């Protein structure tokens, strides 16, 4: 019987993984959500040789992995978004592997898959220079928001970003209206717009791909492409699905995460990734 995907309590997840381990010897990978499950099932060797289980959130995943490790259950790995962990010095432990860059969406945008995705979204074949220029421009805008997200995280969550749709602040000329974005975020908040604006425009040594959130980047991509197509945005959820569908094994093999998984396979003497051509 497959593991029930509604399990979200870390103790329950750890118990179910223990039961699953009693019937199989291959790798078990815990991921954050259902979209991650679909992505990595496609990139790993198939069930029942390897299993991918979602935990309904990073917090559940980290706690479940801690419990599983404490019980001595072998061959279990957690995969999650890096978020701001690398920037603020948070260690996830040897049994948890963060994706390249800030999160999965940003990782895919910085892979060869982005060229194919770009052609579909923008409905045009483009030279690499145009694709790269668009990507870097939008990552730059997402990094402005990312710096505000990080500041809020480090200052007690003073700013709420749950309802933010970054793409709504794109101008028709492809520029980003930072002032309007800041005004929206500080409305009815005890944070002065000028103070938050200063956070956004202050330079940082952190790479844009580490500080940019995938939700912001995909929203910006959606609006930017709609402007270029002279049509309406298709929605951030659709953009994220398109990104995942574009991410094939060839693109995956170019990531740092893939290399780290190969090391994990060798250390654990387990097979998780298909060989080239499989």
């Amino acid at each position: 019987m497959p593991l029930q995907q509604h399990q979200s309590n870390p103790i329950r997840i750890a118990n179910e993984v223990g039961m699953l381990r009693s019937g199989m010897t291959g790798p078990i990978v815990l991921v954050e959500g259902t979209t991650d499950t679909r992505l990595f099932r496609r990139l790993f060797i198939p069930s029942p040789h390897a299993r991918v289980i979602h935990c309904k959130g990073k917090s559940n995943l980290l706690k479940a992995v801690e419990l599983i490790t404490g019980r001595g259950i072998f061959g279990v790995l957690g995969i999650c978004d890096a978020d701001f962990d690398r920037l603020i010095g948070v260690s996830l432990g040897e049994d948890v592997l963060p994706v390249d860059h800030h999160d999965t969406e940003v990782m895919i945008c910085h892979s060869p898959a982005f060229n194919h995705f770009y052609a579909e979204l923008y409905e045009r074949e483009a030279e690499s220079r145009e694709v790269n220029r668009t990507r870097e421009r939008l990552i730059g805008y997402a990094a402005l928001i990312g710096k505000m997200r990080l500041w809020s995280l480090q200052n007690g969550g003073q700013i709420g970003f749950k309802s933010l749709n970054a793409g709504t602040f794109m101008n028709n000329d492809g520029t980003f209206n930072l002032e309007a974005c800041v005004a929206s975020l500080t409305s009815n908040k005890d944070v002065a717009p000028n103070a938050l604006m200063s956070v956004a425009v202050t330079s940082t040594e952190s790479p844009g791909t580490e500080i940019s959130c995938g939700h912001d980047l995909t929203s910006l991509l959606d609006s930017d492409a709609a402007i270029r197509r002279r049509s309406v945005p298709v929605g951030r959820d659709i953009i994220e699905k398109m990104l995942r569908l574009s991410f094939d094994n060839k693109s995956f093999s170019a990531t740092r995460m893939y290399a780290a998984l190969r090391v994990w396979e060798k250390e654990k003497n387990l097979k998780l990734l298909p060989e080239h051509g499989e």
Side-chain angles (χ1 to χ4, degrees):
M1 287 288 291
L3 186 67
Q4 295 299 311
Q5 294 302 306
H6 68 272
Q7 310 293 348
S8 59
N9 181 289
I11 296 176
R12 192 176 298 157
I13 294 169
N15 291 342
E16 294 288 346
V17 167
M19 292 175 61
L20 187 59
R21 171 54 73 224
S22 68
M24 66 170 291
T25 58
I28 301 172
V29 180
L30 305 186
V31 297
E32 290 189 49
T34 55
T35 56
D36 300 310
T37 306
R38 291 193 293 269
L39 174 67
F40 287 108
R41 277 180 178 167
R42 180 162 53 82
L43 298 171
F44 296 159
I45 62 173
S47 176
H49 307 291
R51 298 297 292 271
V52 180
I53 302 164
H54 80 74
C55 300
K56 290 191 176 181
K58 184 174 179 177
S59 177
N60 284 331
L61 183 152
L62 296 177
K63 292 174 183 175
V65 170
E66 184 178 355
L67 289 169
I68 290 163
T69 301
R71 296 177 185 182
I73 301 174
F74 177 78
V76 180
L77 177 70
I79 292 178
C80 64
D81 289 342
D83 299 317
F84 295 111
D85 292 343
R86 281 189 285 258
L87 297 184
I88 61 179
V90 173
S91 175
L92 298 177
E94 63 179 20
D95 295 309
V96 179
L97 180 63
V99 302
D100 292 19
H101 309 298
H102 187 93
D103 51 37
T104 303
E105 289 80 17
V106 178
M107 178 176 72
I108 297 174
C109 283
H110 259 262
S111 78
F114 187 75
N115 288 45
H116 305 297
F117 162 83
Y118 185 95
E120 289 297 324
L121 180 62
Y122 284 79
E123 297 180 353
R124 56 178 278 110
E125 294 293 336
E127 295 182 354
S128 294
R129 180 160 54 175
E130 176 188 322
V131 175
N132 293 337
R133 188 166 54 238
T134 299
R135 175 172 51 198
E136 294 310 310
R137 172 170 57 87
L138 297 181
I139 285 178
Y141 298 155
L144 297 173
I145 303 171
K147 285 184 280 187
M148 295 187 287
R149 286 180 178 272
L150 178 56
W151 179 87
S152 181
L153 176 69
Q154 295 176 318
N155 289 274
Q158 295 185 44
I159 306 295
F161 291 85
K162 189 173 183 179
S163 62
L164 177 66
N165 183 350
T168 61
F169 302 103
M170 288 291 292
N171 298 316
N172 287 333
D173 63 355
T175 57
F176 182 68
N177 191 336
L178 179 60
E179 292 81 4
C181 180
V182 168
S184 173
L185 290 170
T186 55
S187 177
N188 300 317
K189 301 290 195 311
D190 292 330
V191 178
N194 288 344
L196 194 60
M197 178 70 74
S198 177
V199 170
V201 300
T202 298
S203 61
T204 173
E205 294 182 359
S206 302
T209 54
E210 285 292 338
I211 206 164
S212 299
C213 172
H215 288 320
D216 297 328
L217 180 57
T218 51
S219 179
L220 292 165
L221 277 163
D222 189 21
S223 292
D224 190 66
I227 292 168
R228 291 285 299 277
R229 296 192 313 260
R230 298 183 180 180
S231 63
V232 297
V234 298
R236 185 176 68 193
D237 290 345
I238 299 297
I239 301 300
E240 292 180 2
K241 288 178 182 178
M242 289 176 64
L243 275 173
R244 283 175 164 80
L245 288 172
S246 72
F247 196 53
D248 57 14
N249 277 287
K250 183 177 180 180
S251 297
F252 185 39
S253 67
T255 64
R256 297 192 304 271
M257 172 181 238
Y258 183 91
L261 286 170
R262 282 298 189 195
V263 171
W264 185 85
E265 283 184 317
K266 186 175 182 180
E267 290 177 347
K268 304 298 182 182
N269 195 25
L270 293 171
K271 182 175 175 61
L272 176 62
L273 301 169
E275 299 301 327
H276 295 297
E278 287 188 40

